[in-house]
């Protein structure tokens, strides 16, 4: 999931062709950005959003004992159950060595108001495999295509339950099916669920810009290509909640923004 | 006309507000959030218009409905829910106005967005019910709707709507309750569009991916349509217990039952005695009866997606208690058994006095068979709902079976009774008032929260006298004889008058 997110960022980067640009408004005068922005997402049709070469990275720590992930009874779906060697669990907490994965980290504010960023031409992908979603947590840009795949030879329905966007509910009754959907408005997070398998959950962060990442199993995340500036960075976890911090980063700098979550009190 | 509407839309919505506040707000709420005072007891809840999400559309999953979609639902209502038809009460202009007003509750959904209708063709010619069944299985519709379509699929206990309210898959054997209509075309349209806000998805992508063809989806619709009776059952007051010459079937799955007429008795939520219950699981029972001059057998079958108690339904009960919070106190925290009460008038011949249909009262009790899925069967009297006193020496027996989301219970008892003060005489040639109560333990129903019927009659056929068989034969013979005579005479007349040359026959006169 991290790879994909970073790939999307890298792609956006490549599109604009401003790898070497310095300063806070690298993309401002770039015709590629202007063109892409003109045909793209358009959250208000403002100036093409700036990019840069600043980086915010960090590690999501987790303190205390992680709650045990609930066991999933897949006995009604042998096609899924057979994909596991040990009883499957719902990976609500991906904790390893005191680090927390599947945390969505993104720039909540600090970019110019009304700035638009062209949507990546490469779609995001989510797969249903073993009656779980892969990835479970990921980000897309507004209007970016999301390819939904079914690698299970069972019926899944994919239901999006957004608040700001229009939802959808589509069925994929067999392996090999793909569907393509997108969201037109920024929204963190849009839940996805399967009603046939009530345990299946995923979350999509929809943003008007490419500055987001999902922490890997080692808890690390990296948001690249930021213009210099002061940003509110938010970290979201499905169970442990939301945290924010403010980070000021100069051109070419890398700043660290670590977060520490703990299990919510029961 | 369209142009006029567009220009005058704000005025339109104003008129719509008047209509809405008068007729709609009680359930759907003043601000359209589905939270009117009537909403708390309702399942399904009234539509929340602020989301712009609608079940019954002719547009793709996730899309807004057309004005015609909204008009259709207002005009015909939603079967199986509290939403009635409004065509007989509101004028076309009022309905048009209220549509504009309803849309104004979700401006972000409707403003600047045009609803795109999916092209729905005609059903392919011929019937493909067998193919439809195969595709139904391929698409795994049974995961929710169950093997026999009675909403008892493996995923059914986990289903919730967009708000977390418990929701049941449609019982495909009762298509008169389909929200968007029971026709093959209506079913097909739902398969293409899904029912937004519910777990029912669109199967459009299965066609787009060439997993199935459009024609196959029509076949599924035909198959689903075939699972219900041709017409919605009408309730008749009298349930006939035919007299059987052969041994009475006493097991629920005895083949003999297939040839016994079945009677539909509709049930509604018990909303008189507290705690009242507005969201009953059971909406009717199928009743069959036979007797042989010494015994009565009564087979009662009803759809209930859960064989209660069953731990897989715990979550569903939890949702029920969260959703229906405002109805005479909290639901049970644990599932009880499923229940059926067959209630009889004690003195059927006294037509001037019939007990209160809800378990009788102290002055005039009723005679009851109380069945639960534990299993347990009690025989006794009631002096009000659930005010039960057992009778000694009960003579009723039961045999029950739970099959694919349906309970089937056969009660057997002798016609004779030693206690004719408490127990009605089950005399042939008489009609005995009967009423039914059913409860589903998995949705928090109990002795009082459940579904009830009013009084019906069970009429025991009298033995057929021999003359009944002899008389028709005699009549046939007689009329045939007379007919022959007439024909013969007529022929002779014709022959006499018609052909003088042919005189050879006339001598017979």
């Amino acid at each position: 999931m991290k790879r994909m997110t970073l790939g999307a960022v890298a792609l956006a980067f490549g599109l604009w062709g401003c790898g070497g640009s310095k300063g806070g408004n690298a993309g401002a005068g770039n015709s590629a950005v202007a063109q892409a922005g003109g045909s793209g997402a358009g959250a208000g049709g403002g100036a093409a959003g700036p990019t840069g070469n600043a980086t915010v990275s960090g590690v999501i720590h987790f303190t205390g004992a992680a709650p045990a992930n609930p066991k999933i009874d897949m006995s009604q779906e042998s096609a899924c159950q057979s994909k596991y060697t040990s009883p499957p669990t719902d990976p609500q907490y991906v904790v390893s060595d005191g680090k927390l994965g599947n945390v969505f980290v993104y720039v909540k504010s600090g970019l110019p108001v009304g700035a638009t960023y062209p949507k990546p031409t490469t779609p995001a992908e989510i797969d249903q495999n073993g009656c779980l979603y892969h990835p479970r947590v990921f980000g897309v840009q507004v209007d970016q295509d999301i390819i939904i795949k079914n690698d299970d030879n069972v019926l899944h329905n994919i239901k999006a339950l957004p608040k700001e966007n229009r939802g959808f509910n589509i069925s994929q009754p067999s392996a090999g099916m793909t569907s393509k959907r997108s969201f037109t408005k920024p929204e963190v997070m849009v839940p996805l669920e399967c009603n046939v398998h009530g345990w299946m959950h995923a979350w999509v962060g929809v943003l008007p810009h490419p500055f987001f990442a999902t922490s890997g199993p080692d808890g690390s995340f990296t948001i690249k290509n930021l213009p210099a500036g002061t940003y509110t960075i938010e970290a979201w976890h499905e169970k442990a909640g939301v945290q924010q911090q403010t980070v000021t980063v100069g051109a070419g700098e890398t700043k660290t923004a670590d977060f520490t979550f703990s299990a919510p009190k029961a | 006309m369209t142009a006029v509407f567009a220009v005058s839309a704000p005025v339109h919505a104003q008129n719509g507000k008047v209509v809405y506040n008068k007729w709609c707000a009680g359930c759907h709420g003043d601000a359209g959030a589905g939270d009117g005072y009537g909403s708390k007891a309702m399942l399904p809840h009234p539509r929340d218009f602020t989301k712009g999400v609608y079940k019954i559309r002719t547009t793709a999953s996730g899309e807004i409905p057309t004005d015609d979609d909204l008009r259709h639902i207002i005009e015909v209502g939603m079967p199986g829910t509290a939403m009635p038809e409004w065509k007989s009460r509101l004028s076309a202009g009022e309905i048009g106005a209220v549509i504009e007003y309803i849309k104004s509750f979700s401006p972000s959904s409707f403003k600047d967005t045009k609803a795109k209708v999916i092209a729905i063709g005609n059903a392919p010619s011929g019937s493909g019910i067998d193919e439809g069944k195969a595709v139904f299985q391929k698409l795994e519709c049974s995961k929710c709707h169950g093997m026999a379509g009675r909403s008892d699929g493996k995923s059914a206990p986990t289903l919730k709507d967009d708000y977390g309210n418990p929701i049941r898959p449609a019982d495909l054997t009762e298509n008169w309750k389909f929200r968007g209509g029971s026709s093959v075309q209506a079913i097909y349209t739902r398969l293409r569009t899904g029912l937004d806000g519910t777990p029912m998805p669109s199967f459009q992508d299965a066609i787009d991916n060439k997993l199935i063809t459009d024609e196959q989806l029509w076949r599924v619709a035909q198959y689903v349509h075939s699972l219900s009776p041709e017409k919605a059952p009408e309730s008749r007051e009298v349930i006939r217990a035919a007299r059987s010459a052969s041994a009475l079937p006493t097991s629920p799955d005895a083949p003999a039952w297939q040839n016994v007429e079945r009677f539909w008795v509709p049930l509604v939520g018990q909303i008189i005695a507290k705690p009242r219950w507005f969201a009953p699981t059971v909406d009717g029972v199928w009743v069959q009866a036979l007797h042989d001059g010494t015994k009565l057998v009564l087979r009662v079958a009803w759809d209930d997606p859960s064989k209660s108690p069953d731990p897989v339904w715990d979550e569903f009960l939890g949702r029920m208690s969260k959703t229906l919070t405002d109805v005479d106190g909290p639901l049970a925290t644990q599932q009880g058994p499923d229940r059926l009460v067959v209630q009889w008038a004690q003195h059927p011949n006294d037509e001037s006095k019939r007990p209160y249909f809800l378990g009788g009262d102290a002055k005039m009790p009723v005679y009851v068979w109380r069945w639960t899925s534990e299993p347990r069967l009690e025989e006794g009297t009631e002096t009000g709902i659930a005010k039960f006193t057992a009778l000694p020496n009960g003579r009723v027996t039961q045999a029950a079976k739970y099959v694919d989301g349906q309970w089937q219970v056969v009660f057997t008892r002798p016609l004779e009774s030693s206690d004719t003060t408490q127990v009605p005489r089950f005399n042939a040639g008489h009609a005995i008032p009967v009423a039914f109560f059913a409860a589903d333990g998995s949705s928090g129903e109990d002795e009082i929260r459940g579904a009830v019927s009013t009084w019906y009659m069970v009429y025991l056929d009298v033995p057929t006298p021999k003359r009944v068989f002899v008389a028709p034969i005699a009549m046939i013979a007689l009329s045939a004889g007379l007919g022959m005579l007439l024909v013969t005479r007529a022929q002779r007349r014709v022959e006499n008058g018609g052909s003088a040359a042919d005189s050879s026959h006339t001598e017979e006169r």
Side-chain angles (χ1 to χ4, degrees), chain B residues 272-315:
Chain B
I272 295 172
K274 287 191 175 184
R276 296 163 298 165
W277 188 238
F278 295 84
T281 300
V282 184
D283 61 358
V285 293
W286 290 102
V287 185
Q288 293 165 288
L290 286 173
H291 80 98
D292 63 0
T294 56
K295 276 185 303 193
L296 170 71
V297 283
L298 190 78
R299 184 181 189 269
V300 187
W302 68 98
D303 292 3
D304 174 347
S306 54
K307 187 181 178 187
S308 315
D310 179 345
V312 302
W313 287 85
D314 282 347
E315 193 185 332

Side-chain angles (χ1 to χ4, degrees), chain B residues 224-287:
Chain B
V224 168
H225 184 79
S226 76
L227 295 174
S228 297
E230 197 53 45
K231 284 168 75 178
E234 289 173 16
S235 65
R236 287 168 287 172
E237 201 188 350
V238 179
I239 297 157
R240 178 175 165 230
R243 188 183 162 103
S244 172
S246 45
L248 295 176
T250 53
S251 75
D253 49 1
W257 288 114
Q258 288 167 18
N259 302 318
V260 179
E261 191 179 6
R262 60 176 196 166
F263 296 82
W264 172 252
V265 175
L267 267 58
V268 298
Q270 190 288 107
I271 55 167
I272 295 172
K274 287 191 175 184
R276 296 163 298 165
W277 188 238
F278 295 84
T281 300
V282 184
D283 61 358
V285 293
W286 290 102
V287 185

Side-chain angles (χ1 to χ4, degrees), chain B residues 376-392:
Chain B
R376 187 184 172 97
L377 177 64
E378 296 173 308
E379 189 177 347
T381 57
E382 278 187 359
T383 54
I385 189 164
K387 291 180 182 163
F388 176 77
T389 309
L391 282 173

Side-chain angles (χ1 to χ4, degrees), chain A residues 158-170:
Chain A
I158 307 98
K159 183 174 178 182
L161 287 149
K163 291 193 162 66
E164 305 298 326
N165 286 279
R166 299 293 299 181
F168 54 80
N169 186 1
I170 49 180

Side-chain angles (χ1 to χ4, degrees), chain A residues 64-98:
Chain A
N69 287 324
K71 284 203 176 71
I72 301 172
D73 177 7
M74 282 191 197
S75 52
Q76 59 160 303
E77 287 297 11
S78 54
C80 286
Q81 192 166 35
S82 64
K83 294 183 178 179
Y84 297 89
T85 49
S86 55
T89 57
D90 186 29
Q92 296 172 354
Y93 287 95
V94 177
V95 176
S96 154
D97 202 17

Side-chain angles (χ1 to χ4, degrees), chain A residues 76-77 153-155 157 159 161 166-171 173-174 176-181 185 193 195-198 201, chain B residues 51-52 61-64 108-109 139-140 143 154-155 158-162 197-203 205-206 209 211:
Chain A
Q76 59 160 303
E77 287 297 11
N153 208 14
V154 301
L155 168 71
N157 72 305
K159 183 174 178 182
L161 287 149
R166 299 293 299 181
F168 54 80
N169 186 1
I170 49 180
S171 66
S174 88
M177 274 190 69
T178 59
S179 299
K180 191 164 75 176
R181 293 294 186 277
K185 294 172 189 169
E193 65 179 29
N195 301 107
V196 185
H197 312 103
H201 293 284
Chain B
K51 305 282 188 227
S61 173
E63 301 286 323
I64 55 170
S108 65
S109 300
L139 297 178
E140 297 194 85
K143 278 276 167 62
K154 291 257 190 260
S155 304
T158 67
L159 298 183
K160 55 188 195 295
D161 69 9
D162 280 8
T198 83
M200 174 68 186
S202 152
F203 285 81
D205 288 45
N209 274 252
L211 180 68

Side-chain angles (χ1 to χ4, degrees), chain A residues 134-165:
Chain A
H134 306 276
R136 183 181 180 89
V137 177
F138 66 106
V140 294
Q141 278 182 246
V142 165
D143 286 336
Q144 182 181 358
D145 286 335
I146 304 168
I147 302 289
I148 304 160
K149 287 166 56 179
N150 185 2
D151 266 321
D152 294 325
N153 208 14
V154 301
L155 168 71
H156 288 299
N157 72 305
I158 307 98
K159 183 174 178 182
L161 287 149
K163 291 193 162 66
E164 305 298 326
N165 286 279

